Each structure stands twice: as C-alpha cells, then as structure tokens.
Amino acid sequence: MAGNTPLRDEVLELRAQLEDWSYRYYVLDDPSVPDSEYDRCFKRLAEIEADHPELVTPDSPTQRVGGEPLKKFAEVVHEVPMLSLDNAFDAQSLADFERRALDRLGTPDAELAYCCEPKLDGIAVSLLYRDGVLERGATRGDGSTGEDITANVRTIDSIPLRLRGAGYPDTLEVRGEIYMPRAGFEALNASQRESGGKPFVNPRNAAAGSLRQLDPRLTASRPLEFCCYGYGLVQGGELPPEQSAILQQFREWGLRINPEMAVEEGAAGCEAYYERLAAKRDSLPYDIDGIVYKVDRVDLQRRLGFVARAPRWAIARKFPAQEEMTRLLDVEFQVGRTGAITPVARLEPVFVGGVTVSNATLHNADEIERLGVRIGDSVVVRRAGDVIPQVVSVVAERRPADSAEIHFPQSCPVCGSAVEREADGAVWRCLGGLVCPAQRKAAIKHFASRRAMDIEGLGDKLVEQLVDAGMLETVADIYKLEREPLVALERMGEKSADNLLEALERSKSTTLPRFIFALGIREVGEATALGLARHFGDFDKLAAASEEKLLEVEDVGPVVADHLRQFFDDRHSMAVVAALVEAGVHWEDIEVAPAEAQPLAGQTWVVTGTLEAMSRDEAKAALQALGAKAAGSVSKKTSCVVAGPGAGSKLAKAEELGVEVIDENAFLALLREHGVAQ
C-alpha cells in the first residue's frame, strides 16, 4: 500500500469529491457540476480501482452495484421494533390524540410542539451504520422481523455508504422510506411497455417490486430514492433532544430528509400544516398518503411510551379516500364459495387511488337499492389504499335517458341452479352447491389458502384450470392429483408439478383448527374454528355435537350452530371429510382442560384496539381456551382489558371504572405462561 501512496491519495480525493457532489445533488437538491463531470470523475476512480484492487473499500462509490444474485433474502430481527402508527382521519381525532398525550404528561393546559412530515407512499426500511459505514439494510417486515436487503439498498444513490462529518454514534440505525418518484415511475413504465414487459400499477408497487429483486443489478436500474424520518438502535453516542433537530443532524451526516418537514405548535398548527400539504399534494414529485405528526421533544416521547405496536407520541393523519367519477357500463354477477351472488360494476376505466379502476363492488341487492344506481349512470368510485374499489354514489343529474335497471339473476349465472334470497333480504345464493363450478373453485381456493391448508403452488389460476379440466370435483380430489396429468397442463412443467405434489404431501400434516377452517363451513372463520377445536378437542366430538353443545362455545350463536349442524348432517360433506382422512390428512387432537383447571375461569375480559401478533378474534379464542369469557363491552364486572393501538371508548371506560388494562406484550406473556401457543 505504501508504494501506491500517490494513487491512494488520488483515490481518497476522488471519493471525497464524488461524495460531496452526491450530497449536494441528493440531500441539498443543489447540484454543483454537470452530470458529465461527475461521470468523468467516477470513471477515473473505477479505472484506478480496477488496476489496483487493494485500494477498493466497501464504501467506495464504485461498489454500489456488484455481486451475484441472491437465492433468497435472509431474515433480520430488529433490535428495536419498527412500530406502526395509529391513524387520525379528521381534525377531531387529532385533537383527541393531543388531549390524551397532555393528560398522560399531566399538563392538560399546555401545548405540544410537533415535528410534521409528509407520509411517503413507499417501503419502510432500516439502515444500520457502524462507525459511519453502512453495514446492513432491512425491510420493516412485520415490525419485529424483516428481510436483509443490504445488496439492494447499496445501489440507491441517495443512501450514503459512509456518513459525512463526525460525531455520529458508533452504532446508528436510521429509518426511512424507499420510494419511486412519479417521473421515475412514468419513465420505468414507458421502458416496460417498449420492451414488452408488464407496467407497474403505481409507484409504491414499483418500489416494492424493485427493492425485493434477488439480483441487485436490477434494483440498481430502477429510479429509487430514500428519505429518512427517524431512528432505531443508537449505541456509543447521543442524538439531539428534539425529533426535528435529529433529522437536521441526519441531513448534515449525508442523509436525505423531506424538505416539507416543519415544526408546528399544537393541534391547530398541525391542522394548518395538513391543509397546506393537502393543497400541494398533487404537485409534489412523489406520492404521499397523509401526514405524520411526532411530539418533537424526545424526553416527552419517552414519557409517553408505547401501546402494543404503536407509539403514544406519534400519529398519522390520512388523506381522505380518493374519489373519481366514471360511468357504469354493466353489472356482472360473481358466485362465491358459499354460493353468495355478488354484483360487480364494470366501469369505464378511471385512474383513482393510484391505479386504473375498471371494476368495483356493489356489495348486494340492498346496496344497489340504497344507491339507486342504474346501468349507464355516472357514478362516484372510491378507492382507499388497498381496499377494493366501491361505488359510493350516483350523479343523478347526469343519468342518461337510456339507463337500465339492475336485475338480480333468477338462476345461477354459472351453473343455472336455482337461487334463493336469504331472510335478511341482502344476499342471494346459488343452491347448486358443489354442482356449481364457481363454488367448487372458491371452496378449493379457500381450502388451499395460506391460513387454511397452506398448499404452496396451488394458486387461483391453477385451481380454475384443474376444475375446468374436470380434474377436481371436491377438495379431497387434490390429493388424488398425479404427476403425468399435471405435467400435461398448459404452463405446468415437470418441476412445477413435482413442487406441487411435494406441497400437497406436506399439507397433509395440519392442525385441527386449520382443518376446521379449511372446510369452508359458513360463518366459521379462523377464530371460531380455533374456539371449536379447543372446546371439543377432536373432530369426531365436534361433528357429533348437538346444537345445544355447540352453543356452549363462546361466540357460537344459533346461526353458526345451525350452519355447523347442516354441514355435519350432510352426507356429501362428511364423505369429503372421510376422503381427506383416507388420503392421509391428519392432525393432533387437542387436550381439553377441565373448567376448574383453566386459570381465567369465571373472569370476563375485553379485547379492544388493534393487536400485532394476532387478530382480535384470535385473542378472544385464546382467552376462551384459558376459561375466560370474551365480552364486547366494558363494565364493572370486567376483569381485564387488553388494549392495542386505536383503543378508544372501551379503554376510556376501563380507566374510568378502574378496570385493569394491559398491553399486547403483557397479554402475550400471559398466554406463554399458560402454554397457549399463538
């Protein structure tokens, strides 16, 4: 190395120059040289490093892209969980958030300062720097565990491989959003179309797809950018005492922050900031779906703490659902797993909520009547996030003279069987059962789904192909599939067939709750299936139970009990169950603890808010397994309340009555203590 001192000095000088230009370009938004000059400097550095590989270091600008494609992403456990945020949808929700924060701080008459930022519509990531050098990049994942995407984040020019300046902690975890600007998204889609590829539906999907490429060279070709908004693990150093000052410090260390970031006083200041950003939202060079407000003082953040998966010191104010007007061209009717016939609006394509929408749900006959909608009408369509688009209103003054009424079919649109309107008048059902191909397909899709039998490779399109080919009549037939007929199917190669058969074999070993859920019994969701499994312990006892015995299970009412008995009394249904068992599907019975051995016997618990590790229904089922009654409201008889983010009136009622309240972590500890696996 000593012999290369002049070259080494030149390399250090070139790197420093390139890093400075990148900082001015990406962080300060103030480019100081033309791209051609940057390219010449970069080329010179690359030439020297190619001739003298001993001078190459991981943080060199030339090392952003390289290495072979990965086979899969490794898991990363976040030492400090990446939490979600509660949402506020109006000014009152924001005011209520501030009131709760002030009450917790014991200063109800004070006013808080907030660090306000646009909520970028991208992918949350964590960047770990040790001694100022980027060591690891990871996705948020489920908040506790993400995926190692280091090779991919290194390709993003706005992510520094080494922090600038000095004074940063020995270990610093920076958190932010990777997103795709609108201009880059449009250019990418234009390129996709020219090459015959499939265009992306919106910038967020494009960013997510680009970030999760196993080949970092492909990620490098995509116009991704990074913006930081916070931090996680900090060791061997300190950060400033305010959120806004921390972000400004990050900017000095070479990390991009959002130029719209501002500090506002009180809920009124936050509302004014919201109005300003809402007015300029469409003119921003990137997509945002709301505003994030964080109590600015870090010491107050610590005092406010967390509830389950969300901090008490931050909240997201979402923009209203995006709406557009279009024309209803026709209505088609789809048949679901239980025979329910759902009207689907076919629309004149319209861009709303970040995607082009051509279909929207009309829910049921009652909704059509409530809207007063007719074919040919101009309608308002709403799409919020990933929610299925829906028709929300009719623009009556634009109704054409030739508009037509919408009539529900008098027979099944798929199989021609009779249809029947339920007693509540809202839902029409096909009475064809498994004779109906649509119901067969939906039942098999449900059976194979991840939360049911989890049969990898048996996706929706393949199920439809197998049913149409006459290879599947019931869910039991999937275990009769053979290699040669599978290989003969269109787009089904030998390896795909082998993988599917292996997945089918693996799926035979399941659990009783999964099996009950997979059968697709009407009104029996995951939580009900779990409750039934834990109450009866084995399938035969469940199948033989009278309606009275079924009603002893928490949350099983007369309607669910009736559906269960109809299923178990139907010889065709039970023949399918027998065929599944004969094919090798098996599970372990569950030991049912006597009532006196259940630690929460006689207690009444309430679950409110949103839990991270499980749904509220699953939490209720776990409580029932421990002997507790899971109630829907808080009273003086309530033993304890499990409160997750978003807990509102029930939490307030519990605090008013002095009822014990625990968060999700304490609840999970209780379940683990008593051996209730989740």
Side-chain angles (χ1 to χ4, degrees):
M1 181 71 73
N4 288 329
T5 299
L7 282 177
R8 180 177 177 276
D9 291 343
E10 184 180 0
V11 163
L12 294 175
E13 183 178 339
L14 288 168
R15 288 176 186 166
Q17 183 65 80
L18 289 167
E19 288 166 3
D20 185 69
W21 287 340
S22 292
Y23 175 71
R24 296 181 67 85
Y25 185 92
Y26 291 106
V27 179
L28 302 184
D29 197 22
D30 182 27
S32 57
V33 294
D35 290 349
S36 58
E37 182 62 23
Y38 182 98
D39 292 343
R40 278 192 289 270
C41 187
F42 187 95
K43 183 181 178 183
R44 173 59 182 160
L45 175 61
E47 289 172 346
I48 296 174
E49 291 182 346
D51 293 335
H52 300 275
E54 72 276 8
L55 298 179
V56 178
T57 60
D59 58 331
S60 173
T62 63
Q63 300 305 299
R64 286 194 175 276
V65 185
E68 294 298 317
L70 301 172
K71 293 184 178 179
K72 66 176 183 177
F73 294 111
E75 278 192 351
V76 171
V77 177
H78 300 299
E79 294 189 49
V80 178
M82 295 184 71
L83 302 176
S84 301
L85 293 177
D86 283 345
N87 291 322
F89 292 96
D90 52 36
Q92 185 58 53
S93 299
L94 187 59
D96 291 343
F97 165 79
E98 181 173 65
R99 177 184 52 77
R100 290 193 300 270
L102 290 171
D103 287 345
R104 285 191 173 277
L105 294 170
T107 56
D109 298 323
E111 192 172 61
L112 292 170
Y114 294 90
C115 178
C116 310
E117 299 175 83
K119 187 174 182 293
L120 292 169
D121 197 11
I123 311 301
V125 296
S126 157
L127 305 177
L128 187 67
Y129 288 87
R130 292 197 194 276
D131 298 322
V133 177
L134 178 64
E135 178 176 288
R136 188 189 69 204
T139 61
R140 177 185 181 276
D142 62 6
S144 299
T145 304
E147 293 180 320
D148 188 330
I149 54 168
T150 306
N152 289 352
V153 300
R154 289 177 60 85
T155 71
I156 300 172
D157 289 327
S158 50
I159 294 178
L161 301 180
R162 175 184 286 278
L163 298 178
R164 291 170 57 86
Y168 37 78
D170 296 341
T171 300
L172 174 63
E173 182 190 3
V174 177
R175 290 176 174 177
E177 204 88 358
I178 289 178
Y179 63 100
M180 187 173 291
R182 290 172 180 164
F185 170 72
E186 295 297 338
L188 174 61
N189 267 356
S191 174
Q192 289 288 102
R193 294 186 189 97
E194 288 175 5
S195 63
K198 183 179 178 180
F200 292 93
V201 294
N202 57 43
R204 186 183 190 281
N205 286 351
S210 301
L211 199 58
R212 296 198 73 258
Q213 294 294 326
L214 292 172
D215 187 346
R217 291 168 294 190
L218 184 54
T219 303
S221 70
R222 302 286 173 78
L224 297 173
E225 294 187 8
F226 172 80
C227 182
C228 69
Y229 57 67
Y231 62 95
L233 183 66
V234 178
Q235 294 177 333
E238 293 184 355
L239 297 177
E242 293 86 28
Q243 182 78 24
S244 56
I246 291 172
L247 293 179
Q248 292 294 352
Q249 180 63 72
F250 283 176
R251 187 170 185 260
E252 293 180 18
W253 287 335
L255 295 152
R256 173 188 279 175
I257 65 173
N258 196 289
E260 303 293 340
M261 188 269 286
V263 176
E264 300 288 348
E265 295 292 329
C270 290
E271 184 63 15
Y273 179 88
Y274 173 86
E275 296 296 338
R276 292 199 304 274
L277 263 291
K280 66 189 301 186
R281 178 186 183 189
D282 291 339
S283 64
L284 294 172
Y286 43 77
D287 283 352
I288 61 174
D289 57 6
I291 308 295
V292 176
Y293 305 110
K294 298 174 184 174
V295 173
D296 199 35
R297 282 175 48 184
V298 175
D299 62 328
L300 297 185
Q301 292 180 7
R302 291 178 181 140
R303 285 174 58 188
L304 288 167
F306 306 84
V307 176
R309 64 185 185 94
R312 290 194 180 103
W313 43 266
I315 195 165
R317 171 78 188 274
K318 303 300 285 287
F319 286 121
Q322 292 178 292
E323 298 179 344
E324 283 292 346
M325 185 171 67
T326 187
R327 198 160 64 90
L328 177 62
L329 303 177
D330 199 2
V331 174
E332 296 179 4
F333 295 89
Q334 295 181 345
V335 181
R337 173 172 56 86
T338 62
I341 299 174
T342 303
V344 177
R346 302 305 183 195
L347 306 168
E348 197 170 83
V350 61
F351 194 76
V352 54
V355 300
T356 299
V357 171
S358 55
N359 303 320
T361 181
L362 284 166
H363 297 293
N364 52 43
D366 284 357
E367 180 70 0
I368 289 175
E369 184 177 348
R370 183 189 71 80
L371 290 169
V373 65
R374 298 166 65 98
I375 295 171
D377 275 344
S378 290
V379 296
V380 175
V381 179
R382 174 187 295 154
R383 183 183 182 276
D386 294 328
V387 177
I388 297 171
Q390 57 183 318
V391 175
V392 294
S393 63
V394 175
V395 185
E397 61 266 29
R398 294 199 175 193
R399 173 166 289 165
D402 61 350
S403 67
E405 285 189 33
I406 299 170
H407 297 286
F408 260 71
Q410 299 303 301
S411 60
C412 175
V414 176
C415 70
S417 297
V419 298
E420 178 181 77
R421 191 167 189 173
E422 292 191 339
D424 62 8
V427 179
W428 289 80
R429 290 187 189 277
C430 165
L431 301 181
L434 291 179
V435 171
C436 179
Q439 292 186 60
R440 286 208 306 275
K441 290 175 181 177
I444 295 168
K445 291 174 186 176
H446 172 78
F447 185 86
S449 64
R450 185 172 61 86
R451 294 185 176 276
M453 299 299 285
D454 192 19
I455 304 173
E456 188 176 353
L458 190 57
D460 290 357
K461 289 184 179 179
L462 180 56
V463 169
E464 292 180 11
Q465 193 177 7
L466 291 168
V467 173
D468 291 342
M471 296 171 67
L472 295 182
E473 290 289 330
T474 73
V475 295
D477 292 336
I478 65 174
Y479 294 106
K480 299 176 184 177
L481 292 172
E482 297 179 346
R483 187 176 190 273
E484 294 310 315
L486 283 173
V487 170
L489 291 172
E490 186 178 353
R491 293 193 297 272
M492 173 64 79
E494 294 185 0
K495 185 166 180 59
S496 295
D498 290 338
N499 289 341
L500 175 58
L501 292 173
E502 290 173 9
L504 286 169
E505 196 62 33
R506 288 195 303 270
S507 73
K508 291 180 181 179
S509 178
T510 186
T511 66
L512 180 55
R514 276 181 176 268
F515 183 73
I516 296 169
F517 175 61
L519 293 175
I521 304 168
R522 280 179 61 187
E523 306 295 338
V524 177
E526 288 180 84
T528 303
L530 186 62
L532 289 166
R534 286 179 171 156
H535 185 87
F536 290 100
D538 72 56
F539 188 84
D540 290 341
K541 288 180 180 178
L542 168 61
S546 65
E547 286 198 30
E548 291 74 18
K549 289 292 184 183
L550 291 169
L551 288 169
E552 292 177 4
V553 181
E554 191 72 34
D555 287 340
V556 173
V559 173
V560 176
D562 181 57
H563 289 323
L564 285 162
R565 279 274 32 106
Q566 285 185 42
F567 180 90
F568 295 132
D569 290 340
D570 182 79
R571 62 185 181 88
H572 298 294
S573 297
M574 294 308 288
V576 170
V577 172
L580 288 168
V581 172
E582 185 177 348
V585 176
H586 62 280
W587 55 85
E588 294 290 332
D589 289 339
I590 296 175
E591 184 177 348
V592 180
E596 61 272 15
Q598 295 178 316
L600 303 184
Q603 297 186 24
T604 299
W605 285 54
V606 172
V607 180
T608 183
T610 304
L611 304 183
E612 182 180 62
M614 64 185 75
S615 68
R616 275 195 282 176
D617 284 342
E618 290 170 333
K620 289 178 182 178
L623 287 167
Q624 292 160 15
L626 296 177
K629 177 183 178 182
S633 59
V634 178
S635 69
K636 291 182 178 179
K637 296 181 179 180
T638 303
S639 306
C640 187
V641 171
V642 180
S649 59
K650 293 176 185 177
L651 175 59
K653 184 71 172 177
E655 292 173 341
E656 178 187 330
L657 295 175
V659 173
E660 182 184 2
V661 177
I662 62 174
D663 63 15
E664 184 176 8
N665 289 333
F667 179 56
L668 292 174
L670 175 71
L671 298 185
R672 287 192 292 269
E673 177 186 348
H674 295 293
V676 179
Q678 286 291 335

